[in-house]
Amino acid sequence: METTYISKLAPRRRRPWAFIIGPGDEIETFTGVSIPGKVAVIGYDYKQDGVWSAGIYRLQVAEGVRFLSGHFGFETGTFVEGLRAATGQPTDRWHEVANALGVSLPVAQKFLRGWLPKAAQRLDQVEADLASLDEESPTGAATVSITYGAPTRAARERGFWKWPVRILDEDGQEVGRVSPEGSPSGEVRVLKRETISGHGGGYVSLTLAVPEGCRAEHGPVPIKIFKEE
């Protein structure tokens, strides 16, 4: 199979990446040179354009081998965001990264630990946080996602960006919360926090580990009224 790869920076100067996957359960980075039995560079051009200069590779990819390319994430600059954008698959946890790459979990972990150790550490932390909450909570752990943002001027004046994300159980009782800055307290772990530009200050997207059956809500903290006896 013939394909073309352009090693150009993406917007926000996000770096490109490219992998050779296969044959079988194998993965390695493409560095611009032929890899015997896997990929042959049959043509190369270079486009001079300052910071946007790029190499243009014309490749012949062997049967049973995949060529996967993308960029580090536009919003967060992380590899997992870029892998999600390139494949359209979830990439928040180790097994999801392995599935998106199309290799086994041990191969994905060995590859990422060698190539991007900090990205691997973040994935390790996600698994540790989930395991911790699963052991601590009597109902076990679940993951929930919540996105909030683009408030109107009136909402901003009421304190929209100072409101926490509250974790509520099935009875509506608060068991934990996440501060506007992303700090958790109570029975919740922040697995991922992303900010996205947009109207009124943009958006915040959270992936959380919470006790089973709980939900996440963003809003002002209700004022408790105590009645005199």
Side-chain angles (χ1 to χ4, degrees):
M1 179 190 73
E2 289 191 16
T3 188
T4 299
Y5 169 59
I6 303 176
S7 59
K8 183 178 180 180
L9 294 177
R12 296 188 179 177
R13 301 190 180 187
R14 300 310 194 200
R15 292 186 293 118
W17 46 259
F19 306 139
I20 305 299
I21 302 170
D25 194 18
E26 303 174 1
I27 182 171
E28 59 185 295
T29 55
F30 174 68
T31 60
V33 298
S34 298
I35 301 175
K38 295 185 178 184
V39 62
V41 179
I42 58 178
Y44 173 78
D45 296 304
Y46 185 77
K47 183 178 180 181
Q48 183 70 42
D49 189 19
V51 71
W52 307 111
S53 298
I56 303 171
Y57 300 84
R58 293 179 295 281
L59 308 173
Q60 181 70 44
V61 181
E63 185 174 352
V65 174
R66 291 191 300 123
F67 186 85
L68 177 64
S69 64
H71 292 83
F72 285 81
F74 179 78
E75 294 293 345
T76 63
T78 61
F79 168 67
V80 291
E81 182 195 354
L83 181 62
R84 183 171 67 247
T87 63
Q89 298 185 49
T91 57
D92 293 329
R93 300 185 60 184
W94 265 121
H95 69 279
E96 294 174 342
V97 169
N99 289 337
L101 291 172
V103 296
S104 67
L105 179 58
V107 167
Q109 289 180 327
K110 181 179 179 180
F111 172 74
L112 206 56
R113 293 193 200 286
W115 181 52
L116 291 174
K118 289 186 178 180
Q121 289 171 8
R122 285 193 291 268
L123 288 164
D124 288 338
Q125 188 61 55
V126 167
E127 300 300 334
D129 287 343
L130 280 169
S132 172
L133 190 61
D134 192 49
E135 292 177 1
E136 293 174 10
S137 174
T139 59
T143 57
V144 298
S145 296
I146 180 172
T147 298
Y148 59 91
T152 63
R153 181 182 300 177
R156 296 198 301 272
E157 291 174 350
R158 292 196 303 270
F160 182 92
W161 290 114
K162 295 181 180 180
W163 298 340
V165 170
R166 302 169 63 231
I167 308 306
L168 308 177
D169 64 16
E170 295 176 339
D171 297 322
Q173 298 299 309
E174 181 177 321
V175 299
R177 67 173 62 180
V178 180
S179 74
E181 297 75 28
S183 299
S185 60
E187 295 185 64
V188 58
R189 303 288 186 276
V190 178
L191 304 181
K192 182 175 65 172
R193 183 179 187 273
E194 295 179 308
T195 58
I196 304 167
S197 58
H199 172 74
Y203 302 85
V204 174
S205 184
L206 297 170
T207 301
L208 308 172
V210 302
E212 191 75 41
C214 288
R215 67 184 189 276
E217 290 187 0
H218 174 257
V221 178
I223 298 174
K224 293 183 179 181
I225 300 176
F226 296 94
K227 295 183 180 180
E228 294 185 2
E229 295 292 337

